[in-house]
Amino acid sequence: MAETEAALREAIVETCRSMAAQGLNQGTAGNVSVRFGEGLLITPSGLPYEEMTPDDIVPMTMDGRADHALAPSSEWRFHRDILRARPDVSAIVHAHPTYCTAFAMCRKDIPAAHYMIAAAGGPTVRCGGYALFGTEELSQRALEALQDRTCCLLANHGMIATGPTLPKALWLAVELETLCRQYAVALQVGRPHILSEAEVAEAMERFKSYGPRPKAG
């Protein structure tokens, strides 16, 4: 196993455990993938994060083949399809955090009630239509919701966050859940004011240099 592959496998496991520690996921729900070579590395199906090791991460080809003792995540299809359709994406985090999932259960988009919507790449976080987990139809719904966006909700399901790296995808997942929580509270307080397209565009310009960065040196 090449050192770069070993590092990616370790990073996937660390990301999964960080998701659990930050309350983004419970049990064996959720999954993580990264682009690797001509294919991808993805979490296995049904294995608790606390038991997962780097050797458990499943390599897959872009035609959906996996050569591993463990089965890949049941959601491998939308991971593969997003990576295949979006060259700007190299990492994907899927989870069922409470507030994101609550809005997904109500099939509601998230509007620009806070400038952090810029992290989504547009003036809304879309909620994609419902389809059974693991299906080609769900993959298509995810791709539609992610058009010109970095993240989305999936109706009656959860959320997807993408990024050029795993740290950025995880950061975005946390920010999306925070945004949904804040919007839920704001709806209880009153009627949230929605930012204009110009205000969102201004924030998006600033976001070109925003987000987690590696330490210098």
Side-chain angles (χ1 to χ4, degrees):
M1 185 167 63
E3 183 176 334
T4 52
E5 182 180 352
L8 286 173
R9 286 171 174 269
E10 183 67 37
I12 290 172
V13 174
E14 290 177 0
T15 297
C16 289
R17 291 176 178 164
S18 182
M19 287 164 62
Q22 296 186 73
L24 292 180
N25 237 9
Q26 311 81 36
T28 60
N31 26 78
V32 174
S33 71
V34 295
R35 189 187 300 277
F36 178 69
E38 298 300 315
L40 64 146
L41 298 171
I42 191 167
T43 47
S45 178
L47 185 64
Y49 294 155
E50 62 270 17
E51 298 177 18
M52 194 179 296
T53 70
D55 288 340
D56 295 323
I57 303 305
V58 181
M60 294 193 72
T61 61
M62 284 299 182
D63 61 3
R65 290 181 291 113
D67 183 15
H68 196 276
L70 298 176
S73 165
S74 60
E75 301 291 16
W76 68 265
R77 189 180 298 276
F78 72 60
H79 284 265
R80 186 275 309 272
D81 289 352
I82 293 168
L83 290 171
R84 189 161 58 180
R86 294 281 298 268
D88 59 310
V89 172
S90 291
I92 300 168
V93 169
H94 168 58
H96 306 161
T98 300
Y99 287 88
C100 286
T101 304
F103 281 107
M105 292 163 68
C106 295
R107 303 193 180 188
K108 291 184 177 293
D109 294 348
I110 306 301
H114 192 285
Y115 73 79
M116 283 300 293
I117 198 79
T124 61
V125 176
R126 300 190 190 99
C127 182
Y130 177 75
L132 183 65
F133 69 92
T135 61
E136 185 175 352
E137 184 182 3
L138 178 61
S139 181
Q140 184 58 40
R141 298 288 181 270
L143 286 171
E144 291 168 358
L146 284 169
Q147 180 96 27
D148 302 318
R149 297 290 191 274
T150 58
C151 59
C152 71
L153 305 180
L154 298 173
N156 305 90
H157 190 149
M159 55 77 71
I160 296 173
T162 70
T165 64
L166 260 182
K168 285 204 170 183
L170 177 60
W171 168 81
L172 181 58
V174 172
E175 292 297 338
L176 178 54
E177 173 65 354
T178 300
L179 182 63
C180 287
R181 183 172 68 248
Q182 292 167 337
Y183 184 52
V185 173
L187 289 170
Q188 296 175 55
V189 172
R191 184 177 179 181
H193 181 83
I194 306 304
L195 298 173
S196 69
E197 288 187 13
E199 288 168 329
V200 173
E202 184 180 33
M204 287 176 61
E205 185 63 28
R206 290 286 185 93
F207 262 73
K208 291 179 179 178
S209 60
Y210 192 86
R213 301 183 184 88
K215 290 174 67 175

